[in-house]
Each structure stands twice: as C-alpha cells, then as structure tokens.
Amino acid sequence: MTAPEGGQAALRRAARRARRLDARDPLAPFLGRFAPVPDGRLFLDSSSLGRLPAATPELLDRVVRGDWGDRLAQGRAPWRDLPQRIGDRTAKAVLGALPGEVVAADCTSVNLYKLTVAALEARRGRRTVVVDDDNSPTDRYVVAGVAAEHERALRTVHTHPETGLDMETLRAAVDEDVAVVVLSLVSHRSGALLDMAEVHGIAHAQGALVLWDLSHAVGAVDLQLAATGADMAVAATYKHLMAGPGCPALLYVRRDLQPYAAQPVHGWYGHREQLAGAVPYDPDPSVRRFLTGTPPALSLAAAEPALDLLAEAGMAAVRAKSRALTGFLTELAGAALEPYGLRPAGPADPERRGAHVAYRHPRAGELVAALAGAGLFVDHVPPDRVRLSPGPLSTRFADVLEAVRRFREVLSGSDPAGVAGGTGEWGV
C-alpha cells in the first residue's frame, strides 16, 4: 500500500470515528450559537481571530442605537466601569483569578509595557530581566525597550522551537539579581504549553516575579492564576476569547502586589478620584490604577457574549474538547499529510500543548494561501510553519476531518478547485 492510499483508508476510518465523537460531544449545542460560516468554509485559525458569537451583532446594535444613539452622553455611565466589569467576569470565567485583580484596557503590548515597568519598580535593586527567544516578537521588543530605558540587563534564554522551554535552562538563568521573568504560557509558534506552577516555583525561589503573556492560552486552557500564585499577566481577547478585533487586552496583577506595582502611564482613569480633576496624580489603590484613558465601550461590550458562552460551557470542558480536537487532528495528519512532506513542529502530547498544532513546510506561506483557495483558513507563522487551531465551541470533529481532507488534496495536487495546479507540486 502506498502512503497516499494509506492516507485515504485512514480518512475513511476517521469519518466513522468523527461521527461518533460528534454524537457524544457535550459541547455540541454551542455550535449553533455562532454566526454561520459562508460557502462551506472551514476556519481552523482561532489562534489568530476567534469566531463571531451569534449574539454579538445584536448586542452591539443595542449599545450603538440605544445607549449611544438614544441617550447620548446620558448613556455613558455604565461604560465607565466596563474595564473592571469585563475584568471581573474574565477573572471568574476563564482566568481562575479573584475579583479586583483584572482589568480590560489598551492592547497587549501596552499592558506588557506597563507591567514590565511595574515589576521593576516592585523589585528595585535587581538589575536583570529574563525573556526567552521563542516569545512573540512584540513581547521581546517591549521587554528589550523597557530594559534599555531603565538600564537593566536583558538575559535571553534559548527555547527549543518545538518542545518549548526546558525548566533546567530556566532555573540556570534565574538568580537573585533577576527582577522579572517574562514568558508566554503557550508558544505562538509551536503551541508548547509551560507548567505555570513549576515556573513560579523557580522564579519565586529567587525572589523574582513572573509576567505571563496568556494570549494563546486564555479561553482555551483551564487557567488557575490564584491557585498557582501568579504575579502578573497580560492577554489578548480576540483569539480564543472571541471578543473581536480591536477589543482591549487583559491585565492581571495579584491583589497583594497592587500597592507596590506603580504603572508608568498616568491618566485620569487610573486616578484615585477619577472625576475630581485633582492634581497631582494620586493612583487608585486597586487594580484600576493600571487604567489610563477612556475605555473603548463598543469593543469592550463585544466581549460579553463570548464570556457568556465560555462561562456556561466551563473551562474544564473547553480544555478537554480542545485536547481531543488537536489529538484527532494530529492523528489524522500523521497518516494523511505527513507522507506529503508536512512535518510536526510542536509537542506530540496534547497535555503539553495549547489549543493549536503547528507543522513545518518549506513553502508554508504559499501553502496557506492555497489552502484558503480551497476554503480552509489556517495561519502562517513565518518563516515555515502552518498553524491550525480548532475552536472548541465552534468546531466539530467532522470539521477537523474535512479540513485534513482538503489539506491533503492541496498537498497532493488533486484538489477539485485546481489550487495546486494538479501537479503534486507541494510534495517534498
């Protein structure tokens, strides 16, 4: 039996299995609570932008026409508390944090800047910031800029590009001169998932703080910030939290750290007496001190419907289905796609990865464009990775199977749309 023939047989067997898995999926009822997908397209790119909940357009219409259109400035009172309200809802539903520890504001990079500076202030006298070389480029830009601005040494540790950061490597890099360790819980490239509690143990043993980027974890991984003793964190809301493009990011600071964590971007929204116009600046004693300016009410309102869905489903169930979907995907890919030159580029164990699966291909950018032409939308992570991330609440096992079928057709050059030219040009 040739490899392609074996792949076809595996897909036939998988079809029966997908039907069984979908039939007993406890999260199946949530599939109908998202906006319909046009023209039979398949979206396995939740790590880039989450699907649109069906309730979001109606809610935004009420905010725009009712609160803004009908009430004008009189309708803005509820907007003032949106950063804290969304923060508290997120803390409870998806972060495992306490009330008063999270706000939604600004973008991830701005929040990372605020908290990196705050961590240095909270650990005065320490001269070193640790980051790893697999962290997202924007995180490394921000951290390097803060280190230079505050005359701190930047210590960069090497991370394996597929299996993630080795804990012994981290342990060797963290000493009593380190103020803060800045890491992503889930690698944006490989999907490798770190052990949060273990990282905390290494850093805290030396008196250092840990600042997490949870952008590829929040809404997909069952996080327990309070239980693991997390210090600080930021996270995007437009990926697995499905809050939509432009929705402000999350900022978390453990409650006992808040009085010592001075944020560098002062504004009226972080003032103790927000509306008093008092000078000089007097920061609010709570997490609200990390706010700066007027919140974007429309974008923040868009976060509510997705939080409703995630709270109702429960993060334990969401994480369980995510592991099952990515496990099913990797199993199918091993038989149907790898014979055509696609190579795994992340952890094989579902327990050690987040909600996306990465593969290497020498022409990944062109391949992702060809897949889009076949109606399958995935991510390209330069230079050579294809990233697939099925959303647990919006993806069936049958969708994963169909995605692998279309992927295989493009790789083999036999896709009906002629995307690959029918020449098998993607094989390596």
Side-chain angles (χ1 to χ4, degrees):
M1 180 183 295
T2 67
E5 289 170 348
Q8 285 281 34
L11 291 177
R12 287 195 294 271
R13 291 192 298 271
R16 295 189 292 271
R17 187 174 167 205
R19 287 193 292 271
R20 291 195 301 270
L21 289 169
D22 284 329
R24 57 176 187 255
D25 174 17
L27 299 184
F30 288 91
L31 296 167
R33 294 169 67 176
F34 289 85
V37 175
D39 305 323
R41 298 173 188 173
L42 291 172
F43 292 91
L44 267 66
D45 56 359
S46 292
S47 288
S48 180
L49 183 65
R51 286 275 304 278
L52 172 65
T56 302
E58 181 180 348
L59 173 65
L60 288 179
D61 187 69
R62 289 201 306 271
V63 173
V64 171
R65 296 178 188 275
D67 294 349
W68 180 13
D70 293 343
R71 301 177 64 195
L72 297 177
Q74 302 307 311
R76 69 186 178 185
W79 300 346
R80 291 197 185 105
D81 295 329
L82 270 174
Q84 299 104 292
R85 190 170 81 232
I86 297 299
D88 283 345
R89 286 207 64 195
T90 307
K92 181 179 180 180
V94 299
L95 289 175
L98 301 176
E101 293 187 327
V102 183
V103 288
D106 301 307
C107 67
T108 311
S109 297
V110 170
N111 286 343
L112 190 73
Y113 172 81
K114 290 179 178 181
L115 290 188
T116 305
V117 173
L120 294 180
E121 286 293 310
R123 290 295 185 267
R124 291 184 180 182
R126 291 176 173 242
R127 306 288 307 166
T128 303
V129 179
V130 171
V131 69
D132 74 303
D133 60 5
D134 191 52
N135 216 325
S136 69
T138 190
D139 286 10
R140 285 180 283 156
Y141 302 155
V142 170
V143 173
V146 171
E149 178 185 354
H150 290 263
E151 299 182 334
R152 300 298 203 274
L154 181 65
R155 185 175 297 164
T156 303
V157 297
H158 176 64
T159 291
H160 192 283
E162 295 179 5
T163 59
L165 177 61
D166 177 74
M167 290 297 98
E168 291 309 310
T169 301
L170 180 64
R171 197 183 309 276
V174 180
D175 56 31
E176 61 185 11
D177 192 49
V178 172
V180 60
V181 178
V182 184
L183 299 171
S184 287
L185 184 63
V186 173
S187 166
H188 74 291
R189 293 201 301 162
S190 68
L193 171 66
L194 294 176
D195 185 322
M196 181 175 277
E198 187 173 7
V199 171
H200 291 161
I202 292 170
H204 293 169
Q206 298 295 334
L209 298 173
V210 179
L211 170 51
W212 291 104
D213 186 337
L214 304 176
S215 294
H216 288 277
V218 65
V221 175
D222 190 8
L223 299 169
Q224 299 297 330
L225 299 189
T228 59
D231 302 315
M232 300 176 171
V234 299
T237 57
Y238 55 84
K239 301 177 187 290
H240 300 290
L241 278 186
M242 305 171 287
C247 187
L250 302 174
L251 181 152
Y252 159 86
V253 180
R254 197 176 67 235
R255 185 175 295 163
D256 65 294
L257 280 175
Q258 292 171 16
Y260 310 101
Q263 81 117 324
V265 188
H266 297 174
W268 71 292
Y269 243 73
H271 198 284
R272 185 187 297 264
E273 298 180 77
Q274 189 180 83
L275 299 177
V279 292
Y281 181 74
D282 184 13
D284 191 274
S286 75
V287 73
R288 194 166 64 80
R289 64 172 48 198
F290 288 96
L291 301 176
T292 300
T294 305
L298 300 183
S299 295
L300 278 174
E304 299 265 23
L307 284 172
D308 291 341
L309 296 176
L310 289 166
E312 183 180 339
M315 284 309 303
V318 170
R319 174 61 175 157
K321 185 174 177 185
S322 175
R323 288 195 301 264
L325 285 169
T326 58
F328 189 52
L329 173 58
T330 57
E331 180 183 333
L332 294 180
L337 304 182
E338 291 177 25
Y340 290 98
L342 209 65
R343 294 290 176 260
D349 181 1
E351 297 291 336
R352 295 196 60 246
R353 64 171 174 253
H356 62 264
V357 177
Y359 291 92
R360 290 186 185 275
H361 193 281
R363 297 165 61 193
E366 297 171 66
L367 179 56
V368 167
L371 293 170
L376 172 58
F377 295 86
V378 298
D379 291 323
H380 172 219
V381 182
D384 63 351
R385 297 196 187 198
V386 179
R387 188 174 70 189
L388 300 93
S389 50
L393 297 185
S394 58
T395 308
R396 303 174 303 164
F397 290 90
D399 296 328
V400 171
L401 173 62
E402 178 59 23
V404 172
R405 280 179 171 153
R406 295 186 193 183
F407 209 138
R408 184 178 183 276
E409 288 172 348
V410 170
L411 284 171
S412 68
S414 62
D415 55 299
V419 174
T423 63
E425 61 176 309
W426 299 104
V428 293

